[in-house]
């Protein structure tokens, strides 16, 4: 999963070149830089899928401590993966305007320190989840970290235009972690929601890639919008959008969902598909980059996922059977 993270506050004030010793910084700036490595806005989006699934798994309100422990462990795990991603991508981050202010790209944080920070967060997250939640959730968080760092960042990102499709599996794992935290097992409901996030990731991320196409091209990252025409990309966005919405509706029979979830999925899904088809229409009309407005879909895709998972959480609490 992805969201646009703001540049590090401390990094914006750094005038050194990548790899150069940083200027004197206050403790607050140092902390801000390390926090920015974890990409907090992406963590927020991941927790949007973890938290509601716990309510569905419990068919009610889970224990407050279990919710807190799971969200803390999940945040630590995601922070580790994002930090290690920044460490491995520091060279291309320095070439992209959107990411040139990240602490490793500016030299505000030394690569070795970032690597240690990321590994420590990962170890702590596994121990935290294993000891305070259960070891299945801990294993799933470790798998998510390995998928994002090893499978997506190292293997796929710089080699294939389908990088975000298969690399996006890591962003689906919080659904399974949330379910397993409550039940210490997995289920068909969890699998359906896993697939919802899987199909949602390309129509969420490709519009962002269209907006920052030049950045990715300059960095040598073969995102689909870099190597394909806008119409081809928009068609893929529409196809994955339909797959997302149809899969979300499959949860109704599989999870015995009621009217609240059904109406939420239909209404939010309809707007999601409308925005995807509008993007395709603008691409077919050969709209300019400014007129293409891919960020409309990007921003709504976040709202769509949030609304859908709110429906997942509320439906078992106020269940009106179909």
């Amino acid at each position: 999963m992805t969201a646009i993270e703001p540049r590090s506050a401390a990094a914006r004030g750094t005038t050194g070149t990548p790899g150069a010793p940083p200027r004197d910084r206050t403790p607050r700036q140092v902390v801000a830089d390390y926090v920015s490595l974890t990409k907090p806005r992406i963590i927020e989006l991941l927790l949007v899928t973890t938290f509601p699934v716990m309510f569905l798994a419990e068919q009610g309100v889970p224990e407050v401590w279990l919710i807190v422990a799971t969200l803390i462990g999940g945040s630590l795990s995601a922070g580790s993966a994002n930090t290690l991603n920044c460490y491995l991508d520091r060279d291309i981050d320095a070439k992209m305007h959107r990411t040139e202010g990240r602490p490793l790209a500016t030299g505000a944080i030394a690569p070795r320190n970032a690597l240690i920070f990321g590994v420590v967060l990962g170890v702590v997250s596994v121990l935290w989840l294993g000891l305070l939640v259960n070891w299945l959730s801990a294993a799933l968080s470790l798998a998510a970290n390995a998928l994002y760092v090893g499978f997506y960042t190292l293997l796929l990102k710089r080699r294939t235009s389908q990088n975000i499709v298969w690399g996006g599996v890591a962003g689906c794992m919080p659904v399974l972690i949330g379910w397993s935290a409550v039940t210490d097992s997995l289920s068909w409901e969890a699998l359906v929601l896993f697939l919802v996030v899987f199909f949602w990731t390309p129509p969420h991320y490709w519009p962002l890639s269209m907006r920052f196409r030049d950045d990715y091209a300059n960095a040598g990252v073969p995102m689909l919008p870099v190597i394909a025409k806008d119409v081809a990309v928009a068609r893929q966005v529409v196809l994955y959008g339909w797959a997302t919405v149809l899969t979300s509706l499959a949860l109704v029979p599989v999870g015995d969902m009621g009217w609240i979830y059904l109406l939420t999925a239909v209404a939010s899904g309809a707007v999601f598909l409308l925005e995807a088809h509008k993007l395709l229409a603008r691409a077919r009309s050969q709209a300019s980059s400014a007129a293409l407005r891919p960020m409309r879909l990007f921003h709504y895709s976040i709202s769509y996922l949030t609304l859908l998972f709110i429906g997942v959480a509320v439906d078992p609490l106020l269940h009106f059977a179909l």
Side-chain angles (χ1 to χ4, degrees):
M1 286 187 199
T2 291
I4 297 179
E5 325 89 57
R7 296 184 190 180
S8 160
R12 287 195 298 267
T14 301
T15 59
T17 57
R23 300 282 183 87
D24 290 339
R25 293 175 299 150
T26 65
R28 183 175 181 178
Q29 289 174 319
V30 173
V31 171
D33 277 333
Y34 276 98
V35 169
S36 73
L37 286 179
T38 67
K39 304 181 184 179
R41 292 184 65 180
I42 293 180
I43 293 177
E44 291 174 10
L45 191 55
L46 294 174
L47 297 184
V48 162
T49 62
T50 307
F51 180 70
V53 171
M54 298 180 73
F55 285 75
L56 181 61
E58 183 69 33
Q59 286 295 301
V61 181
E63 294 181 8
V64 174
W65 167 244
L66 180 62
I67 295 174
V68 172
T70 302
L71 296 184
I72 290 175
S75 297
L76 291 171
S77 179
S80 168
N82 290 333
T83 299
L84 295 174
N85 170 264
C86 286
Y87 169 78
L88 293 169
D89 279 353
R90 63 191 185 278
D91 58 331
I92 60 176
D93 281 349
K95 300 175 183 177
M96 298 173 61
H97 179 69
R98 184 172 68 90
T99 57
E100 63 186 5
R102 288 177 177 172
L104 283 169
T106 64
I109 294 178
R112 179 177 179 274
N113 293 344
L115 176 61
I116 293 172
F117 179 60
V119 170
V120 169
L121 282 180
V123 172
V124 171
S125 70
V126 171
L127 293 176
W128 177 280
L129 288 170
L131 295 173
L132 299 179
V133 181
N134 58 57
W135 288 104
L136 176 57
S137 296
L140 290 169
S141 76
L142 180 60
N145 199 325
L147 284 168
Y148 188 63
V149 176
F151 189 52
Y152 171 66
T153 305
L154 283 174
L155 183 62
L156 297 177
K157 185 172 182 178
R158 308 189 193 207
R159 290 179 172 85
T160 172
S161 62
Q162 296 298 301
N163 49 20
I164 198 62
V165 177
W166 301 107
V169 170
C172 308
M173 298 298 284
V175 170
L176 303 185
I177 294 170
W179 189 277
S180 66
V182 173
T183 67
D184 200 9
S185 64
L186 298 176
S187 70
W188 289 110
E189 295 95 325
L191 177 60
V192 169
L193 289 171
F194 176 97
L195 291 174
V196 168
V197 181
F198 176 79
F199 290 127
W200 167 88
T201 302
H204 163 66
Y205 198 84
W206 280 335
L208 177 70
S209 304
M210 295 172 84
R211 167 65 178 82
F212 294 101
R213 184 195 335 262
D214 292 342
D215 262 4
Y216 286 109
N218 291 336
V221 180
M223 303 303 298
L224 184 63
V226 172
I227 66 170
K229 294 182 178 180
D230 288 339
V231 172
V233 177
R235 285 198 190 104
Q236 290 294 309
V237 165
V238 167
L239 289 174
Y240 275 102
W242 274 99
T244 302
V245 174
L246 292 176
T247 304
S248 73
L249 295 177
L251 185 64
V252 175
V254 172
D256 191 27
M257 307 301 286
W259 280 106
I260 291 177
Y261 174 79
L262 177 61
L263 293 175
T264 302
V266 170
S268 60
V271 178
F272 185 43
L273 291 176
L274 178 63
E275 287 296 333
H277 279 278
K278 284 183 176 179
L279 178 64
L280 177 57
R282 291 192 294 270
R284 282 175 171 165
S285 68
Q286 298 183 339
S288 64
S289 297
L292 193 61
R293 292 179 293 169
M295 296 300 285
R296 280 178 57 95
L297 179 55
F298 171 79
H299 289 302
Y300 180 72
S301 69
I302 298 173
S303 300
Y304 164 73
L305 196 72
T306 302
L307 290 170
L308 184 71
F309 275 82
I310 288 175
V312 168
V314 173
D315 194 90
L317 300 178
L318 303 171
H319 186 71
F320 296 99
L322 296 173

